Amino acid sequence: MNQKELEAWFESRIGLNFPKGQERFLQALDLLGHPERDFASIQIGGTNGKGSTQAFLSQLLQDQGLKVGAFTSPHLEDMRERVRLNGTLIPLASLWEIVQQIQTVEAQMDAGPLSYFELWTCVAFMYFSREAVDVALLEVGIGGRQDVTNLVESDLALITSIGLDHQEVLGNSLEAIAREKAGIINRTQRLLLGPVSASLLPIFEEEASLYGNPIYQYGRDFVWQDQFFLAGDICLEGLQLGLLGAFQQENAALALMAVFCWADIKGLELDQAQMRVSLGRVNWPGRLEELEAGVYLDGAHNVPAMERLLQFVESHVWEAPIFLLGFLPRKNYTDMLVYLREHLPQAEFYLVPFEGGLEDGTSLGLERLDRDLVSFIRNEKKRPIFITGSLHFVGQVRKGWISE
């Protein structure tokens, strides 16, 4: 198969009504010989910040000489972005070989075919096993407790943040969502928490206490302060980040703490001078990415992510920024728009239709932008422009922009 044919095969699994739970995926792993047991791993869960934290962590670890696998979702432009080795996308030939193995296994399964996310998780496990990675960074899909990435026993679990998202699956309260995300904790892990509300801490403490696992919490056990990372006797100074937004300091601090914990677990000597360099090298497309001067892409797809974006906007003296919004119909786009309008009354907002996205903004009072996006941006280049609302939308814009 070529890449287009492979994409079509994967996409045939999107939106089908698959039974929930891990049983089907566990059967696939049994038939494949449990590739997930062949490598050490770090799990990364949370509502927002997973991708950026993983980007920091991947760069830090590979610059220390480790062979690092990374599994993330969703992708922006190329489906192979979901599975990387030291930052490089899985080769098409390797993907096709693995897909053939999965197809053979699926033919033997009585639990039915794998879902889109299960397919990619399977690809990641098999690729990382074949490549004998030193560590695999596994981004949790939705929640944690019932996520198929949770069929591994990682040495570290990272929770970046807790916010309202995917309520239809995880529950309508922060407490319910925290309980689902705390479900990634297993008997062997150390738990690292980002800037999680103190009111939610007992939920994670309760889950960790089942195994006697230690917990390291941002603001208590480690912190980013000005250009310093502080954790006990550890002090890194003069730090600069390659990603925009003050909130990235929290993600970077979580990644740094994970590196120090990993070094402790595995008996590694760290080059701290290199760690400083690594932080400045990190890039993560579509996350407050400046395409050109004054034009920003940010896949903020829920209210907590919009709050982070607002922090960045308010840190500048901008009179009338423009927001080009692309929403997925299944997302809580009404609350996102209400939040933006409340805090940025001076801004202009447009709805941009995209493949799979919301087509009509009339009920929201949004003017639909049917003009060519690049031409519109060029005409308004004296004003800051934020392209946001959905990672799928951001990915389509980015792909079109680069091809211009």
Side-chain angles (χ1 to χ4, degrees):
M1 286 189 183
N2 59 33
Q3 180 152 341
K4 285 189 176 180
E5 291 170 328
L6 272 173
E7 285 175 354
W9 181 74
F10 276 99
E11 289 172 1
S12 70
R13 306 298 176 86
I14 295 175
L16 297 181
N17 187 24
F18 291 104
K20 291 182 171 60
Q22 300 169 323
E23 294 78 12
R24 181 180 57 253
F25 190 69
L26 186 57
Q27 184 182 23
L29 293 180
D30 284 337
L31 291 168
L32 289 166
H34 286 282
E36 81 283 3
R37 297 175 182 172
D38 295 337
F39 50 83
S41 60
I42 298 172
Q43 285 174 277
I44 306 173
T47 302
N48 293 309
K50 296 189 295 292
S52 298
T53 299
Q54 187 190 80
F56 283 121
L57 187 50
S58 180
Q59 192 71 61
L60 286 162
L61 290 172
Q62 70 188 55
D63 286 354
Q64 294 295 316
L66 299 184
K67 194 174 186 179
V68 181
F71 173 56
T72 188
S73 62
H75 62 271
L76 285 182
E77 301 169 53
D78 187 323
M79 65 178 184
R80 294 179 300 134
E81 296 168 20
R82 293 169 178 260
V83 179
R84 304 172 187 250
L85 181 64
N86 281 356
T88 301
L89 310 190
I90 181 173
L92 189 59
S94 298
L95 178 58
W96 172 227
E97 290 172 8
I98 290 172
V99 163
Q100 289 177 292
Q101 290 180 262
I102 294 173
Q103 289 175 333
T104 299
V105 160
E106 280 193 314
Q108 306 170 49
M109 291 172 58
D110 55 26
L114 299 174
S115 70
Y116 185 87
F117 185 76
E118 288 172 336
L119 285 175
W120 277 108
T121 308
C122 210
V123 168
F125 288 173
M126 294 173 69
Y127 186 55
F128 299 156
S129 171
R130 285 174 46 167
E131 293 295 327
V133 299
D134 295 313
V135 58
L137 310 180
L138 305 176
E139 183 180 322
V140 177
I142 294 177
R145 193 175 302 277
Q146 293 299 316
D147 195 79
V148 292
T149 60
N150 203 28
L151 289 172
V152 299
E153 285 203 346
S154 298
D155 295 285
L156 289 179
L158 280 58
I159 304 291
T160 58
S161 64
I162 301 295
L164 292 175
D165 198 14
H166 298 292
Q167 292 99 308
E168 72 283 359
V169 176
L170 304 179
N172 291 316
S173 68
L174 294 178
E175 290 75 15
I177 292 172
R179 288 197 180 280
E180 284 302 307
K181 295 188 184 296
I184 68 173
I185 301 171
N186 67 46
R187 60 187 177 87
T188 63
Q189 284 174 333
R190 301 184 190 187
L191 174 63
L192 278 60
L193 295 177
V196 171
S197 170
S199 65
L200 301 177
L201 182 58
I203 294 172
F204 294 99
E205 290 176 332
E206 178 184 348
E207 196 81 30
S209 69
L210 298 174
Y211 312 104
N213 294 353
I215 298 177
Y216 303 90
Q217 183 183 8
Y218 181 85
R220 183 187 69 186
D221 303 296
F222 63 98
V223 70
W224 183 291
Q225 193 171 50
D226 297 323
Q227 294 177 314
F228 291 79
F229 169 78
L230 305 169
D233 295 332
I234 300 167
C235 176
L236 291 179
E237 58 184 349
L239 303 180
Q240 301 284 343
L241 299 183
L243 299 183
L244 295 173
F247 57 88
Q248 293 292 5
Q249 297 170 3
E250 297 165 352
N251 295 330
L254 186 60
L256 284 168
M257 190 65 191
V259 171
F260 282 108
C261 285
W262 191 256
D264 182 50
I265 292 168
K266 301 298 181 181
L268 302 176
E269 291 289 333
L270 295 174
D271 181 343
Q272 294 190 11
Q274 178 59 55
M275 292 172 74
R276 294 184 181 88
V277 175
S278 298
L279 289 173
R281 294 181 58 202
V282 174
N283 69 85
W284 192 232
R287 281 73 169 184
L288 206 46
E289 177 187 11
E290 193 169 17
L291 284 178
E292 62 178 52
V295 180
Y296 301 89
L297 282 178
D298 190 60
H301 57 283
N302 52 43
V303 173
M306 288 294 181
E307 291 172 355
R308 295 300 187 97
L309 177 56
L310 180 69
Q311 291 175 11
F312 177 75
V313 175
E314 290 183 334
S315 69
H316 296 76
V317 184
W318 285 323
E319 290 186 4
I322 295 172
F323 281 75
L324 305 181
L325 303 169
F327 295 122
L328 286 175
R330 70 174 184 267
K331 287 291 186 178
N332 191 0
Y333 52 82
T334 302
D335 284 356
M336 286 188 268
L337 183 57
V338 167
Y339 178 83
L340 287 173
R341 280 176 165 160
E342 178 183 348
H343 290 86
L344 295 170
Q346 77 279 22
E348 289 183 19
F349 301 97
Y350 297 88
L351 180 72
V352 183
F354 68 102
E355 183 180 350
L358 191 68
E359 293 287 335
D360 187 0
T362 305
S363 64
L364 301 172
L366 282 177
E367 178 183 340
R368 174 175 160 140
L369 189 67
D370 287 316
R371 285 166 282 173
D372 175 70
L373 198 61
V374 175
S375 298
F376 175 84
I377 291 170
R378 293 281 185 258
N379 290 335
E380 298 286 352
K381 62 184 178 180
K382 292 183 180 180
R383 301 168 63 185
I385 295 175
F386 295 88
I387 304 164
T388 187
S390 162
L391 274 168
H392 297 278
F393 170 53
V394 163
Q396 290 183 30
V397 172
R398 190 176 194 274
K399 190 172 185 177
W401 186 280
I402 290 173
S403 67
E404 281 287 321

